[in-house]
Every structure is written in structure tokens, then in C-alpha cells.
Amino acid sequence: MKKIFMTLAAVCVAATMNAQAYIGGGIGLTSTSHDGNTETNIKLMPEVGYNLNDSWAIGIALGYGENKNTVKVNNVEVSTKTKVFTVNPYARYTFAKFDKVNLFIDGGLDYTHKDVAGDKTNQFAVGLKPGIAVNLNEKLSFVAHAGFLGYVNEKADQDGAKAYNTFGFDLDGSNLSFGFYYNF
């Protein structure tokens, strides 16, 4: 039994010697104004991950976003605020490497909680997100995700509310994210 534990410990040490941790994520701030109507969006999505080997990594992203929309109706301003909290654990498989560019696919779970002026919604998703990493140098990488293939379940946080289920593939400009990673 002692030999089995020692062997497992040696395998774990060998696996972590080749592994590399990374931190990063994305941040966004936009503000739009037209004819007295304004919309401001803030998004913060920190991420931490661990490269298990050259092809596989695991990680988690935690996000917070806020949208404030002010509309002028008959000289009266009406404002709504949306708050969004996201948890996204994932496993990443890098399937192609070209010098400084890596192509990968993230398979993961998403949980998103939205609060729009007291109306709360919970969303669960499972699926795949393709991406690209450009290694600017040994420590810094630019990362982009585009699209989603999977299943989404969304339901208002109220008694008797019905769930909306979606399955499909979405690849367009509105489903695009960018970020940076610092590799240890």
C-alpha cells in the first residue's frame, strides 16, 4: 500500500512539474449616448487556470457585469439597471499549435444570475467555445473566444415561472470575447 501511495505521489509531482498556471481575463467598458438616451456597460471577468500538459488545461472564470440604461420619455428620465454574475469552470483542449498561435476549444459549464430591477433570472449552460491564443511572449498571451455550441436553460427566479431551453450553435460578432493571460 505504501508503494502505491509513493507511486501516486511521484506521478502527481511529475505532472505538476510540467504544468503552468495562468491568470487573466477580460474587462470591458462602453457608453453610448443618442438623443438624451444613454447606455453604459461595465464587465469584469477575471480568470485563473492551470495547464496540465501541452494539450489540456483547467480553469475558472468569475464575472460581474452591470448595464445602466437611461431613456428620456416626454422629458422624464427612466432608468433601468441590470446586474450580472457569472461562474464558468472549464476544461480546455488545445488541438493545434503554430509557432505563436494556438487553437483551442473550451468545454464547460456556465451559471449566470441576472437581476433587472428586482426581476431575477438564473441561466445554466453546458457547451463548447472555440478560441485562439496568440502568445505575445513567454509570459503574455492574447486570447479570443468566438461562438458557442451547446445547451442553455434559463428560468425566472419566481414561483411558477417556465424555463426556456435552447440548443444550438451561435457564431456571430455578438458572441465574441477578448482577454489577456499572464503565464507563470
Side-chain angles (χ1 to χ4, degrees):
M1 189 68 143
K2 195 176 194 182
K3 289 181 183 180
I4 292 172
F5 284 124
M6 293 303 286
T7 304
L8 287 174
V11 168
C12 289
V13 168
T16 57
M17 287 177 70
N18 292 329
Q20 187 177 12
Y22 58 90
I23 60 170
I27 187 168
L29 173 64
T30 60
S31 182
T32 306
S33 181
H34 184 267
D35 292 335
N37 302 330
T38 61
E39 182 176 358
T40 304
N41 293 297
I42 299 170
K43 182 179 178 182
L44 180 63
M45 193 79 167
E47 188 172 333
V48 62
Y50 194 73
N51 292 315
L52 300 172
N53 57 37
D54 285 344
S55 298
W56 286 97
I58 55 172
I60 187 166
L62 301 172
Y64 176 78
E66 197 169 288
N67 174 302
K68 184 176 180 187
N69 197 355
T70 304
V71 179
K72 211 173 204 182
V73 179
N74 296 330
N75 291 329
V76 176
E77 286 189 358
V78 178
S79 294
T80 58
K81 187 183 256 188
T82 303
K83 294 181 181 181
V84 179
F85 175 73
T86 303
V87 178
N88 173 230
Y90 63 87
R92 175 171 295 162
Y93 177 68
T94 302
F95 59 88
K97 294 184 177 203
F98 310 99
D99 194 26
K100 294 189 178 276
V101 177
N102 298 339
L103 302 177
F104 62 85
I105 193 155
D106 286 352
L109 304 169
D110 284 336
Y111 168 72
T112 302
H113 177 79
K114 297 178 187 175
D115 185 347
V116 182
D119 292 331
K120 298 175 182 175
T121 304
N122 294 308
Q123 179 180 330
F124 296 93
V126 59
L128 303 172
K129 296 178 186 175
I132 184 170
V134 178
N135 303 313
L136 302 174
N137 59 39
E138 189 177 301
K139 298 289 185 186
L140 192 63
S141 299
F142 172 77
V143 179
H145 290 88
F148 177 76
L149 170 64
Y151 169 77
V152 179
N153 173 283
E154 187 169 333
K155 183 178 178 187
D157 194 7
Q158 300 170 348
D159 289 336
K162 294 188 178 187
Y164 294 93
N165 298 302
T166 306
F167 179 78
F169 178 67
D170 183 13
L171 181 61
D172 63 18
S174 66
N175 200 354
L176 186 63
S177 65
F178 299 101
F180 285 95
Y181 291 162
Y182 179 80
N183 300 295
F184 292 100

